[in-house]
Amino acid sequence: MPASTNPPEYQPTTHDAIVVGGGVAGSALAYALAEDGRKVLLLERDLSEPDRIVGELMQPGGCLALEKLGLSDTLDGIDGINVHGYVILDKNETCHLEYPLIPGPSPSATRPARGRSFHYGRFVMKLRSKCLQHPNVTVVEAAATGLVRDLHENRVLGVHAIQRPSKDEEVHLECHAPLTFVADGAFSKFRKDILNTTMQAPSHFVGLILHDVVLPMPNHGHVVLADPSPILLYQIGSHDTRILVDVPGSSYPSNTNGALVEHLRNHVAPQLPESGRVRTALLEALETQRPRVMPNPYLPPSKQGHVPGLVMVGDAHNMRHPLTGGGMTVALNDVVILRNVLNKRDFPDFATASDKQVRRALKTWYWERKRLSSVINILANALYALFSAGQNPAMQVLRRSCFEYLRLGGECTAAPVRLLACIAPQPMLLVRHFFAVAVYGTWTTFKRERIWWFPRTVYRNFATLATACRVILPLCWYELRGAPKAALAYLAKAN
Ligand SMILES: Cc1cc2nc3c(=O)[nH]c(=O)nc-3n(C[C@H](O)[C@H](O)[C@H](O)COP(=O)(O)OP(=O)(O)OC[C@H]3O[C@@H](n4cnc5c(N)ncnc54)[C@H](O)[C@@H]3O)c2cc1C
């Protein structure tokens, strides 16, 4: 196989930054840095339109982050659907959660929060085309294969990459820049060498596209509280509705011997609404499509800056269960804060910035991002734990209590919806309402049970509260570990 190094037209040393991965985080970051006057090299292993079952519903917080980056127009012209809120379906009962108003500088500037759902590939192609059109971004179709390191200083100087101009031709590149940003997604090639965290997958999502269905409440994301775990439905195009069926555990019924299709047909379809052709459309989809499966990841965030010259962003750095559709919002919000802390005024030239200065900026980023990312991470994983209650009686109480609490109205509904919409960077607000759900569950249990069952009720309520603690406290710990005291002080101030 012919191989050459650094073709003459390639000028690796002229870039201020390299971004690995042209997905949501990488493309947005390359564009943001370029807008700040940096020369950026964006490496993406495959520039054709991706066809994936991820990143299809952007919460209002993500749309606001796109606005801050000057990338709002990437949501136009992709046959996207406005999202006004969520609906939770528990058998025949419904809980309607409408996104709130976003206050503006004046009353007339106040507007309703809006999310957007779309085909991931179409959105990513729009982000990439913004980079391709930007004079400061060089987009190269090449797979990064390793880091270029200065072994004496443990410094990252850039990346090795391979271009494949044709099927049997390989061009080896060695790209250099003062800063390398790795945004190569959930299955990051570089994570294990850099971060001390590993991805876990408590469940899988099985995805199909349903054609021409009418959801019970159009322009809303739908969560069906099914047995044993939730099902998501949202429209992603004029004729297309995504269904994501959660299958708990580290494995799932085989997709090769038909067991998965049987599971969807016999166990999942009967739990879907009959109205609007939803159930029929799933049965039709099973005849014509092969179900797509993705692990639902969990990866707590970690501090960075210990490897000079390198920053991990997006899913490569931090992931949560996709139940609440918060991943793209975290990635885009991270980009906004990174752009701010690495601004041109404080860092006129990355090449002359000291390691200490960059480390300090990344520390600020780590704590700044937490206000929103910790809310999204904890909410997603805690809600998933409740909504996949299984046979655990305490979890079942919490699941039902959560559903009823969200229907109470007032702040009981409004605050959790703001958290879900990713527009409330207030971790303590989340913790408060989570425990309010648990206490509400114990109160309704007391009201329901007869007086002579009092000791049993006390025991059950104790189990419910203990289970609530078991769900949320480890998640909080993973978010805050490293510097619990500093973190708690910071988060308290942030509320
Ligand atoms: C089942 C599922 C459903 C989800 N649904 C939602 C949702 O509805 N809403 C939401 O907000 N989030 C959702 N997410 C999360 C969301 O998809 C991610 O958080 C988001 O895509 C992260 O962006 P990223 O840029 O880090 O990674 P990606 O968008 O995955 O992009 C990574 C890019 O890196 C490229 N790449 C990989 N390796 C290399 C390499 N070696 N060299 C060069 N390029 C490379 C890839 O080709 C890809 O283009 C979902 C996740 C899952 C698993």
Side-chain angles (χ1 to χ4, degrees):
M1 200 174 286
S4 63
T5 308
N6 288 357
E9 72 278 12
Y10 182 67
Q11 299 288 325
T13 48
T14 55
H15 297 106
D16 296 312
I18 297 169
V19 177
V20 175
V24 177
S27 304
L29 180 62
Y31 182 83
L33 293 172
E35 279 287 276
D36 213 16
R38 316 283 184 189
K39 295 277 179 212
V40 185
L41 172 65
L42 175 61
L43 296 176
E44 165 55 46
R45 67 178 169 196
D46 182 0
L47 283 174
S48 59
E49 185 171 318
D51 176 17
R52 300 176 61 190
I53 64 168
V54 306
E56 293 172 318
L57 188 147
M58 186 175 292
Q59 293 289 357
C63 300
L64 291 177
L66 278 179
E67 257 175 48
K68 290 181 192 158
L69 295 168
L71 286 168
S72 290
D73 55 346
T74 52
L75 294 175
D76 300 334
I78 54 172
D79 192 26
I81 305 291
N82 276 333
V83 182
H84 300 181
Y86 264 77
V87 176
I88 307 177
L89 306 168
D90 191 4
K91 300 200 171 70
N92 297 324
E93 292 176 276
T94 306
C95 171
H96 176 203
L97 305 170
E98 197 73 10
Y99 289 145
L101 294 174
I102 301 179
S106 65
S108 62
T110 298
R111 55 190 169 139
R114 286 280 174 273
R116 196 100 172 137
S117 50
F118 40 71
H119 285 265
Y120 167 88
R122 292 178 193 168
F123 171 58
V124 165
M125 290 309 271
K126 281 287 219 142
L127 286 174
R128 288 177 185 169
S129 90
K130 293 289 279 191
C131 293
L132 283 162
Q133 285 161 24
H134 203 294
N136 287 347
V137 188
T138 309
V139 182
V140 173
E141 186 166 50
T145 50
L147 298 171
V148 181
R149 283 179 185 258
D150 175 334
L151 293 178
H152 295 300
E153 294 185 47
N154 184 32
R155 169 182 298 282
V156 170
L157 305 173
V159 288
H160 297 283
I162 295 184
Q163 264 182 315
R164 290 200 170 81
S166 65
K167 231 172 109 193
D168 32 42
E169 200 186 347
E170 275 189 358
V171 180
H172 290 253
L173 307 176
E174 190 174 310
C175 316
H176 288 241
L179 277 184
T180 298
F181 296 88
V182 172
D184 59 345
F187 306 104
S188 174
K189 189 177 173 52
F190 301 96
R191 186 187 297 132
K192 66 177 185 323
D193 297 334
I194 306 297
L195 305 179
N196 55 2
T197 45
T198 42
M199 168 179 142
Q200 296 162 30
S203 69
H204 290 77
F205 259 148
V206 181
L208 289 149
I209 287 193
L210 311 183
H211 294 298
D212 294 317
V213 306
V214 182
L215 291 174
M217 197 167 282
N219 295 100
H220 286 71
H222 289 63
V223 182
V224 181
L225 297 185
D227 170 42
S229 56
I231 300 167
L232 296 185
L233 292 156
Y234 40 81
Q235 199 179 343
I236 56 169
S238 312
H239 298 282
D240 298 342
T241 295
R242 167 67 67 204
I243 180 168
L244 289 175
V245 177
D246 185 81
V247 181
S250 52
S251 60
Y252 52 90
S254 166
N255 205 2
T256 37
N257 68 8
L260 186 58
V261 170
E262 281 308 293
H263 171 75
L264 294 170
R265 187 177 288 126
N266 300 332
H267 190 72
V268 173
Q271 301 191 64
L272 291 177
E274 269 179 292
S275 64
R277 271 185 24 89
V278 178
R279 198 180 290 180
T280 320
L282 174 65
L283 297 175
E284 285 170 8
L286 289 173
E287 299 296 325
T288 53
Q289 298 166 40
R290 183 180 159 84
R292 317 266 301 268
V293 185
M294 275 293 288
N296 290 330
Y298 176 50
L299 180 78
S302 11
K303 279 203 183 126
Q304 298 197 48
H306 56 288
V307 181
L310 187 90
V311 185
M312 308 278 293
V313 219
D315 277 7
H317 167 231
N318 179 208
M319 293 185 280
R320 74 293 315 149
H321 197 285
L323 175 68
T324 56
M328 290 188 291
T329 301
V330 171
L332 293 169
N333 188 56
D334 280 0
V335 170
V336 171
I337 302 172
L338 256 186
R339 177 201 62 181
N340 294 347
V341 299
L342 294 175
N343 66 75
K344 197 91 196 217
R345 207 190 45 215
D346 295 342
F347 293 89
D349 185 352
F350 287 150
T352 55
S354 71
D355 289 346
K356 199 171 156 200
Q357 207 186 351
V358 175
R359 220 174 17 247
R360 210 180 307 125
L362 292 179
K363 195 173 167 194
T364 309
W365 173 60
Y366 180 77
W367 290 112
E368 279 270 321
R369 71 183 290 282
K370 253 185 206 311
R371 282 192 254 177
L372 188 64
S373 67
S374 64
V375 167
I376 299 173
N377 293 343
I378 298 173
L379 179 70
N381 292 320
L383 266 190
Y384 177 69
L386 263 53
F387 287 176
S388 54
Q391 298 308 311
N392 181 332
M395 280 291 200
Q396 284 173 350
V397 170
L398 286 172
R399 167 169 139 156
R400 184 64 202 167
S401 165
C402 180
F403 183 78
E404 288 174 3
Y405 183 85
L406 290 173
R407 292 208 301 181
L408 288 176
E411 258 316 89
C412 301
T413 308
V417 178
R418 286 202 304 277
L419 296 166
L420 174 71
C422 308
I423 54 171
Q426 296 162 279
M428 294 315 285
L429 184 73
L430 167 62
V431 173
R432 233 174 22 240
H433 282 276
F434 185 83
F435 280 111
V437 165
V439 171
Y440 183 70
T442 60
W443 166 244
T444 46
T445 308
F446 261 122
K447 273 203 319 193
R448 230 185 6 251
E449 298 283 354
R450 291 177 193 279
I451 190 74
W452 53 85
W453 287 346
F454 188 72
R456 195 183 74 173
T457 310
V458 170
Y459 170 76
R460 282 192 174 169
N461 282 344
F462 180 76
T464 303
L465 291 175
T467 303
C469 293
R470 242 191 18 245
V471 169
I472 200 150
L473 294 183
L475 294 172
C476 293
W477 168 249
Y478 283 130
E479 287 294 322
L480 303 182
R481 75 190 165 160
K485 270 193 191 157
L488 285 170
Y490 186 87
L491 294 179
K493 214 167 72 193
N495 279 279

